[in-house]
Amino acid sequence: MAKPAQGAKYRGSIHDFPGFDPNQDAEALYTAMKGFGSDKEAILDIITSRSNRQRQEICQSYTSLYGKDLIADLKYELTGKFERLIVGLMRPPAYCDAKEIKDAISGIGTDEKCLIEILASRTNEQMHQLVAAYKDAYERDLEADIIGDTSGHFQKMLVVLLQGTREEDDVVSEDLVQQEVQDLYEAGELKWGTDEAQFIYILGNRSKQHLRLVFDEYLKTTGKPIEASIRGELSGDFEKLMLAVVKCIRSTPEYFAERLFKAMKGLGTRDNTLIRIMVSRSELDMLDIREIFRTKYEKSLYSMIKNDTSGEYKKSLLKLCGGDDDAAGQFFPEAAQVAYQMWELSAVARVELKGTVRPANDFNPDADAKALRKAMKGLGTDEDTIIDIITHRSNAQRQQIRQTFKSHFGRDLMSDLKSEISGDLARLILGLMMPPAHYDAKQLKKAMEGAGTDEKALIEILATRTNAEIRAINEAYKEDYHKSLEDALSSDTSGHFRRILISLATGNREEGGENLDQAREDAQVAAEILEIADTPSGDKTSLETRFMTILCTRSYPHLRRVFQEFIKMTNYDVEHTIKKEMSGDVRDAFVAIVQSVKNKPLFFADKLYKSMKGAGTDEKTLTRIMVSRSEIDLLNIRREFIEKYDKSLHQAIEGDTSGDFLKALLALCGGED
C-alpha cells in the first residue's frame, strides 16, 4: 500500500484498527464461517474495519491457526458481488489490480475500460508493484499479455504507461512547456491527420506538474482545452485512454468521482467498476473523491451507493465510503477548493461555439421549393425529402425557401407543412422553419397560455439568451401577439419569480469584464441573502433586490469572479447554496443563471438528458433545445453530453424516439460521437 508523502495529510477512509489482534480476528472469521451458513455481518464488519496491512496479518494468522487459506474459505462461503468485494479487500493492492487486469484480458473480448482505469491512474511505484504482482500470481509477463490482447496506438500508450517511468521532478522548464504546447498543437490541430506519437510521448512521460502547465498554456494559446483537441484528433479506445490520462493528471480523485457516478447512474449498476474503485481507493484518496463527488453531482457518494445497492454488499460499500457528506450538512473546505477551480477553468475557457447545422453548399432555393412542393403534392407525403431538405439548411436559407415557395406556387409553405405532417415531427419541422426569435417568442407564448404555466420553459429561454437574442425576441413577440413580452410575463407570473423574469427579459445584461472590488461587494450580498455571512447588513428586501440585480444584470465574466469570491468568503459553492437555501421557481431561475454562466452547453446537455431519461419522453423540451441550439452550440452540447453521461446524444435520441421524428432529430444532431 502506497503511503502518503511525508507531511501529507492521509485522505483514505479506512484506517488501522486500534487494539488490533490478528489471532482474535482470524478466530472470529473462522467462527463466522463454521457450520451451516455463514455470519456475513460479522465477516463484513471485521474486514471493512481493518486496513489492508492488517488484513494480510489476519490471513497469516488464519493459516497458522487452521492450516487453511482464508481467501479460499471466503470464496466458498460467499457469493456474487459481496464475495467479489470482500475477496478484493483481502488481496494486497497490487495483486488486486493484477487480478482485475487478468480478468479484463481473459477470454473472448477485452474490458478496455478496466485497462484504461487502472493503467491511466496508477503512480510509478504502483505500476512497478503491479507488474511484479502479475508475474508472481500468474507466472506471465504483463506487458506481453497486454500486447497480445490490444493493438495500435491504444496498445502503444498502455505499454508506455506500464513502464512506470513518468518524470516525478516538480521543477518545470517554462521553455519546455511552450515547446510542447507547440508540439501538441502541430501534431493535432495544425496537421492533416494526427501525429499520435507526439501525444503518446508527452502525455505518457512528462511529470504531472509539467503537464498541468502544458494544459493551461495550451488553452491560452489555442483557445481550446486539450481535451477538445484529443476528441477532435483521436478516436476509439485510444481517445478514451488519452482523455483518462489527462483527467488523472488534472485530478485523480475527480477522475474516480466521475467513474463512480457513471457506474451508478441510470438503469443498472456497473458493479465491477464500483467494487474496483471502492476497494482500490479506500486507503488512498476516498475522502477527496467524496468531496469532489458532492461538488460535481450535488449528492453524496454515500447516498448514491445507499440508493443503488442492497444487502451486505451495500453495507460493505458504505463502510468503505466512510461517511455521508449530506448528513454532515457541512461543505468540505477541500470541496470548496474544487468548486473554486471549476469556476477558474470556466473563466479561462474560451471554447469556440459550434452548431451542427450549417448553410448548405450550392444552395438553390428554387430547387428546394419545387422538391418540397412535390413531396407534399398528391396522395401521401414524402417525409424523408422534407426532413432531408429542412434539417440540412440554415435558418436563413429556410427563409429564402419560404419566399421562393410563395413566389412559385402562391402558397404558404408553413400552412402546407401543417396540413401534411403532424405530431412531434410537425412541431420540430415547423419550429425549424420559423426565424429563431419568432420561434422563442412562440415557445414563451405557449408556456404562458391556457391553464397553468410552464415555468421551466420560461426559465430555460430567458436565462440563457444573449442580450441581442432577448431584444429580437421582444420585437418578435410584439409583432406576433400585439402585446409586450413584459406585459405577458406580468400577467402570468407573480412575486420574486416575475421580477426575475422581467429583469432577464429586458436584455440589459452588462457585457464588460470583471471588476474585482465590485465582485467582492456582490459576493458579500450573496452571502448575506443566502444567510451564511457572519455579519449581515441592510434589510432583507433590499438585499433580495440587490441579489436579483447581480444575477440578472452583471456580465458573465464578472459573475464568474463573484462566484469565486463567494467561495473564498464562505467556503461554499453558490449553486449548492442556492439549492439548499431557496425553493420553487425562484431557486430554479437562479440555478439556471448560475449554470449558464459556468457552462451553457452543459446546462443544455443536462436538460436534454433529463428530457429523455426514465419512463416517457419530454418531447417539447427535446424539440425546443434541438431546434434552438442547432446553429449555435449543439456540437458543444454533444461533447458535454458524452463527457457527463458516457453515451452520445445520438445514442440517447435513438433509444428514446422513433419514426420520422427520430430521423429528423438525428439529422439535427449531426453525427455519432
Side-chain angles (χ1 to χ4, degrees):
M1 175 61 64
K3 299 292 183 187
Q6 190 171 6
K9 190 176 179 183
Y10 180 71
R11 302 298 294 160
S13 55
I14 299 296
H15 302 260
D16 282 341
F17 188 74
F20 172 63
D21 183 337
N23 287 336
Q24 185 177 318
D25 284 347
E27 289 170 10
L29 287 170
Y30 182 77
T31 302
M33 293 185 284
K34 193 177 178 182
F36 185 74
S38 55
D39 185 350
K40 297 181 179 65
E41 193 82 35
I43 293 170
L44 78 87
D45 187 57
I46 292 171
I47 291 175
T48 60
S49 300
R50 309 297 187 266
S51 67
N52 192 275
R53 179 187 62 79
Q54 290 175 331
R55 292 182 207 122
Q56 303 317 309
E57 290 188 50
I58 296 170
C59 280
Q60 292 168 3
S61 294
Y62 194 90
T63 302
S64 297
L65 289 171
Y66 306 108
K68 304 177 73 175
D69 179 69
L70 176 54
I71 290 180
D73 280 4
L74 287 167
K75 282 183 177 180
Y76 181 79
E77 291 292 333
L78 309 177
T79 58
K81 295 172 287 191
F82 180 53
E83 176 211 327
R84 188 178 181 93
L85 175 62
I86 293 298
V87 170
L89 287 168
M90 292 307 302
R91 291 192 176 102
Y95 285 80
C96 192
D97 279 350
K99 176 68 164 65
E100 291 292 326
I101 286 184
K102 186 73 167 64
D103 289 348
I105 58 179
S106 295
I108 299 173
T110 304
D111 183 352
E112 289 85 2
K113 288 183 178 179
C114 173
L115 294 181
I116 290 169
E117 178 196 299
I118 293 174
L119 298 184
S121 65
R122 299 318 192 239
T123 64
N124 287 345
E125 182 186 351
Q126 289 168 335
M127 207 69 83
H128 299 153
Q129 291 170 351
L130 163 60
V131 171
Y134 192 91
K135 185 79 170 177
D136 181 51
Y138 306 110
E139 298 180 349
R140 297 178 64 87
D141 181 68
L142 178 53
E143 182 178 326
D145 281 0
I146 292 284
I147 289 172
D149 211 65
T150 58
S151 61
H153 298 299
F154 178 59
Q155 176 199 91
K156 291 173 186 173
M157 185 61 177
L158 290 177
V159 170
V160 167
L161 294 172
L162 203 56
Q163 306 313 302
T165 54
R166 183 177 298 285
E167 295 167 356
E168 295 181 331
D169 187 357
D170 283 342
V171 177
V172 177
S173 162
E174 290 185 15
D175 291 341
L176 186 58
V177 167
Q178 293 291 343
Q179 180 60 52
E180 294 198 332
V181 166
Q182 193 61 33
D183 290 345
L184 288 171
Y185 193 42
E186 290 176 358
E189 298 284 342
L190 297 182
K191 187 179 177 66
W192 180 260
T194 307
D195 182 358
E196 291 87 353
Q198 278 284 25
F199 280 84
I200 290 171
Y201 175 73
I202 294 172
L203 269 63
N205 290 284
R206 296 299 189 219
S207 72
K208 286 193 171 187
Q209 182 65 20
H210 173 86
L211 286 173
R212 286 174 191 137
L213 292 176
V214 168
F215 299 160
D216 291 345
E217 198 59 38
Y218 189 92
L219 179 61
K220 291 175 189 173
T221 302
T222 68
K224 299 176 74 169
I226 188 69
E227 292 90 338
S229 291
I230 288 172
R231 289 193 189 94
E233 298 298 323
L234 310 180
S235 62
D237 292 324
F238 181 47
E239 175 197 340
K240 292 172 187 172
L241 173 59
M242 298 305 263
L243 287 172
V245 169
V246 170
K247 287 174 185 175
C248 288
I249 295 295
R250 290 195 188 279
S251 169
T252 304
E254 186 171 350
Y255 170 70
F256 282 114
E258 183 181 304
R259 291 280 293 158
L260 285 168
F261 178 75
K262 289 177 178 177
M264 291 182 282
K265 73 176 179 66
L267 293 174
T269 303
R270 297 173 191 175
D271 293 292
N272 287 356
T273 300
L274 180 55
I275 291 167
R276 187 168 57 243
I277 297 173
M278 295 302 291
V279 168
S280 66
R281 311 314 292 188
S282 60
E283 293 182 54
L284 293 176
D285 52 7
M286 185 57 68
L287 295 185
D288 294 321
I289 292 169
R290 273 171 45 187
E291 289 157 2
I292 293 168
F293 194 99
R294 181 68 184 83
T295 302
K296 285 191 75 169
Y297 303 112
E298 301 154 25
K299 64 178 74 177
S300 69
L301 175 59
Y302 188 98
S303 64
M304 197 160 184
I305 291 171
K306 191 174 181 181
N307 293 330
D308 215 61
T309 57
S310 61
E312 285 83 11
Y313 175 53
K314 173 172 77 174
K315 291 175 185 175
S316 300
L317 288 170
L318 292 179
K319 289 283 289 283
L320 294 180
C321 185
D324 187 355
D325 304 323
D326 287 336
Q330 190 65 39
F331 199 72
F332 282 101
E334 290 87 348
Q337 184 61 32
V338 171
Y340 184 91
Q341 290 166 356
M342 287 179 180
W343 282 111
E344 189 71 35
L345 184 62
S346 79
V348 297
R350 291 288 180 271
V351 179
E352 183 184 359
L353 299 179
K354 289 184 180 178
T356 52
V357 175
R358 299 173 183 84
N361 296 324
D362 303 320
F363 172 59
N364 185 336
D366 186 68
D368 284 346
K370 288 176 180 175
L372 287 170
R373 175 66 179 149
K374 184 179 178 183
M376 294 185 284
K377 197 174 179 182
L379 289 174
T381 304
D382 181 358
E383 286 89 355
D384 285 347
T385 295
I386 294 171
I387 291 168
D388 185 57
I389 292 173
I390 292 176
T391 60
H392 291 96
R393 306 295 183 269
S394 68
N395 194 274
Q397 290 175 333
R398 294 182 206 124
Q399 303 317 310
Q400 286 183 251
I401 295 170
R402 284 180 69 176
Q403 292 171 355
T404 304
F405 194 90
K406 195 154 200 172
S407 298
H408 276 346
F409 308 112
R411 303 171 67 89
D412 180 58
L413 177 55
M414 295 286 279
S415 297
D416 281 7
L417 287 167
K418 278 183 186 176
S419 67
E420 292 293 329
I421 55 179
S422 60
D424 295 326
L425 178 64
R427 275 193 290 273
L428 182 67
I429 295 296
L430 293 170
L432 289 167
M433 290 305 303
M434 296 179 73
H438 289 266
Y439 179 72
D440 277 347
K442 183 175 182 181
Q443 296 307 302
L444 291 168
K445 181 75 163 61
K446 281 182 169 293
M448 293 184 280
E449 67 185 9
T453 304
D454 184 352
E455 291 85 1
K456 289 183 179 178
L458 297 179
I459 292 168
E460 177 202 304
I461 295 170
L462 294 176
T464 60
R465 300 314 192 245
T466 65
N467 284 344
E469 289 167 338
I470 291 285
R471 289 165 191 159
I473 292 168
N474 274 291
E475 290 176 15
Y477 200 96
K478 186 79 171 176
E479 180 185 336
D480 293 346
Y481 307 112
H482 312 292
K483 182 179 184 179
S484 75
L485 176 57
E486 182 177 333
D487 287 345
L489 291 167
S490 295
S491 301
D492 208 65
T493 58
S494 60
H496 290 304
F497 183 56
R498 175 171 63 195
R499 292 171 62 202
I500 294 165
L501 294 180
I502 290 174
S503 181
L504 293 171
T506 60
N508 286 324
R509 186 178 291 284
E510 297 165 359
E511 295 185 342
E514 65 181 60
N515 178 320
L516 184 56
D517 290 337
Q518 183 65 59
R520 287 170 179 156
E521 288 182 29
D522 291 345
Q524 180 65 32
V525 171
E528 290 173 11
I529 195 63
L530 294 170
E531 298 182 347
I532 55 177
D534 294 329
T535 55
S537 61
D539 67 277
K540 188 163 184 178
T541 302
S542 172
L543 282 171
E544 287 171 348
T545 301
R546 289 173 66 191
F547 185 58
M548 185 191 75
T549 301
I550 291 164
L551 288 185
C552 296
T553 68
R554 301 286 196 255
S555 71
Y556 275 21
H558 180 80
L559 282 175
R560 290 188 187 102
R561 179 57 61 189
V562 171
F563 300 152
Q564 285 180 287
E565 292 301 315
F566 182 89
I567 294 171
K568 287 163 68 176
M569 191 178 293
T570 67
N571 231 12
Y572 285 77
D573 180 66
V574 70
E575 182 182 339
H576 296 151
T577 310
I578 289 171
K579 287 176 178 176
K580 182 180 176 184
E581 299 296 333
M582 295 185 162
S583 61
D585 298 326
V586 170
R587 175 198 61 200
D588 294 344
F590 283 156
V591 167
I593 293 169
V594 172
Q595 291 176 338
S596 186
V597 170
K598 183 185 285 185
N599 186 335
K600 196 178 289 185
L602 179 58
F603 169 80
F604 283 113
D606 285 339
K607 294 279 287 183
L608 284 170
Y609 178 75
K610 288 171 184 172
S611 75
M612 292 182 281
K613 75 166 189 169
T617 304
D618 180 358
E619 289 88 356
K620 289 182 180 177
T621 298
L622 178 56
T623 299
R624 187 170 60 243
I625 295 174
M626 295 296 289
V627 168
S628 65
R629 310 312 294 183
S630 58
E631 290 184 61
I632 299 174
D633 55 2
L634 190 52
L635 189 60
N636 306 80
I637 292 168
R638 271 172 40 187
R639 288 170 179 165
E640 295 293 347
F641 195 98
I642 196 168
E643 176 71 17
K644 183 164 182 181
Y645 298 110
D646 208 24
K647 67 159 75 168
S648 68
L649 178 57
H650 188 285
Q651 289 171 321
I653 290 170
E654 206 167 32
D656 214 62
T657 58
S658 60
D660 293 322
F661 182 49
L662 167 64
K663 291 178 188 175
L665 287 172
L666 292 182
L668 286 182
C669 187
E672 170 72 278
D673 292 298

